[in-house]
Amino acid sequence: MENFSDIGLRPEIIQAITEIGYEKPTPIQEKVIPAILSTDRDIIALAQTGTGKTAAFGLPLIEKIDPSRKVIQGLILCPTRELGIQIYNDLENYSKYIGGLGITAVYGGASMRDQIRSLRHNCQIVVGTPGRVLDLIERGELDLRSISFLVLDEADEMLNMGFQKDLDAILSTSPEDRQTLLFSATMPQAIARMARNYMRQPEEISVGTRNTGAANVVHEFYMVHAKDRYEALKRIADIHPDIYGIIFCRTRTDTTEISRKLIHDGYNAAVLNGDLSQSQRDHVMEQFRSGQLQLLVATDVAARGLDVNDLTHVINYQLPDELEVYIHRSGRTGRAGKSGTSISIIHTRESRQIRLLENMSGKKFIRKRVPTGEEICERRLYQLVKKVESVEVNEEQIASFLPAINQQLESMSKEELIKRFFSFEFNQFLNYYKNSPDLNIQDNERSSDRSGKKDKISYTRMFINLGEKHQLQPARLMGILNDYVADRRFRIGKIDILRKFSFFEVDSHMAPEILRALKDQEIDGRKIEVDIAKPDQYQSKDTQPGKSHKSEGGNFNRKTGNNRFSEGGGEGRKNKKKNKRVH
Ligand code: AMP
């Protein structure tokens, strides 16, 4: 492997990166840096976060910029404010021994005046989010006519976040003979189209196989019943007391719900989602980065730009719909040469998705057993024993307290002392896990699931103050439940949509959760009221002129409009005949 001076970087840059601790170029740097330095060709680099992509474009950019020319020469566009700040800090560090080079970061949610001042005062490189960059161009404060380099970082994310129009506008105001460098973790059609429109015969560079994810990430999954998902999460956290990781959920509501439960249950966790204000987000990210928080419950979008290298775990509380999102998530651990574990908590009917992920990524996913309460207690007790064994004793500090302690505990034998010490530490834990059930799904349970044998379930009929008048359809109702209820793998029975309100049946054990999740929510400007329906109120024969719908049970998939999990139960009901369900 080459080193940085072999690939053509000047000594000032090498000195700076050596001080940061970069010894050798990463694979993407090895390919991209010489390509940028030796030609003016446009480049498409397929690289995920964690591969060293910032230095891959940042170092040659700094090398090629002329600090004596007092005009903007390089523009780096990226999807989020956090990533922008990260890139800005990296570039500042890389260029600290190059005199006269000015870098400005521009992004929304911060003072435009300060940014304008910085742009006017010796600025050769601008790092920014598309919205703010365009705003500044339109105000006449940012002139791109002199740029020679344009970097599109995390281009796929910028498109996912709806920046296509802004990008089109920005790209059309910059000189055609610029060198354009496009970095993207994935290569969807829209990126290929962008490359066609705005790049000149780009050279495509990628390292390793596409979409395989980081090499040093172990992939594991735990299979539990949907209702046990949260309990399984807690056990996973308990068996890894030093865990430092991100728990990914699909929706903001899920993240809020799970983090609230974790905090309530005494875990060192916080939420990161789009509902937080910018200063709240900054605060949470800072706490997480500095290690004051162990677990961050986040949506995919909110976690972008969070640059942490030493995560031990990524937990997929729910699997994402797309492989690429899974690869992105899992790539947040196992970075910068460290190893990491990507855990997915799934239920029986998601095992197919695991097989698909395995096939597409070429990685083996290891099925793990959810630890029993006993195993967790045992593991933690032994860890404590080890800690006691290896703890450093500061003789001087403790000496003055020892006589009093010894006197107080004089009557106890060594055995008694050990017993009491560990009980003191562990009583709460032991009590919590006493008689706790095994959460693992046994293989015979799975096969009965597959053979289509229905569980015995009982339904509760619920009221909601939305009806035909509010454009409520069964699919929309299932979508609402999907959006607001954290644990979504519950079954939905019969749905009766009436004019001004509706009724729907859900697994009885989920009724309290649904009440809580929908309480005080506003949907399409209407405050939601939900309640348990009164017995015999509006049974289906009374539902005219509204319609009665037979749900196929399961969970509505927002993307495809299909019911993804088409199993459901039909027993345990009072009036089987009247309420017969179609399956
Ligand atoms: P990135 O993909 O740019 O987000 O970089 C991921 C992490 O790897 C960052 O913390 C970088 O500081 C670090 N990094 C980048 N290049 C190197 C290198 N050549 N050697 C060691 N660490 C690096």
Side-chain angles (χ1 to χ4, degrees), residues 4 22 24-26 29 48-54 307 309 335:
F4 282 110
Y22 298 1
K24 300 245 177 248
T26 64
Q29 290 163 4
Q48 295 159 15
T49 38
T51 53
K53 67 182 171 58
T54 313
D307 189 60
N309 277 338
R335 291 168 71 165

Side-chain angles (χ1 to χ4, degrees), residues 205-246:
I205 296 177
S206 64
V207 269
T209 344
R210 274 186 204 181
N211 291 336
T212 56
N216 34 356
V217 177
V218 174
H219 301 266
E220 296 177 347
F221 70 97
Y222 292 82
M223 194 185 289
V224 294
H225 287 297
K227 66 175 172 41
D228 295 329
R229 207 181 276 264
Y230 175 69
E231 188 58 34
L233 173 68
K234 286 204 299 183
R235 292 198 191 177
I236 293 165
D238 285 344
I239 199 97
H240 299 291
D242 297 323
I243 191 168
Y244 177 43
I246 304 179

Side-chain angles (χ1 to χ4, degrees), residues 261-279:
K261 283 185 183 173
L262 284 171
I263 294 164
H264 176 264
D265 291 338
Y267 293 85
N268 183 12
V271 68
L272 183 70
N273 68 20
D275 290 338
L276 303 188
S277 68
Q278 191 59 54
S279 64

Side-chain angles (χ1 to χ4, degrees), residues 293-351:
L293 282 171
Q294 267 189 290
L295 294 169
L296 198 59
V297 190
T299 55
D300 291 290
V301 172
R304 297 255 163 253
L306 178 68
D307 189 60
V308 182
N309 277 338
D310 41 3
L311 293 185
T312 59
H313 289 79
V314 159
I315 299 183
N316 298 277
Y317 188 74
Q318 292 127 351
L319 278 177
D321 282 331
E322 288 158 29
L323 167 78
E324 290 180 346
V325 177
Y326 177 86
I327 299 289
H328 232 90
R329 287 180 179 181
S330 59
R332 295 190 152 268
T333 182
R335 291 168 71 165
K338 302 201 172 85
S339 58
T341 308
S342 171
I343 288 176
S344 303
I345 306 176
I346 66 160
H347 68 84
T348 45
R349 276 159 277 151
E350 284 174 320
S351 53

Side-chain angles (χ1 to χ4, degrees), residues 468 472-475 493-498 503 505 540 543 546-552 581-582:
E468 273 184 345
L472 191 74
Q473 300 284 337
K494 189 155 55 68
I495 297 173
D496 293 326
I497 307 274
L498 285 97
F503 296 95
E505 294 175 331
S540 51
T543 54
K547 297 183 186 82
S548 176
H549 304 266
K550 313 279 191 197
S551 153
E552 284 173 21
R581 205 168 289 100
V582 180

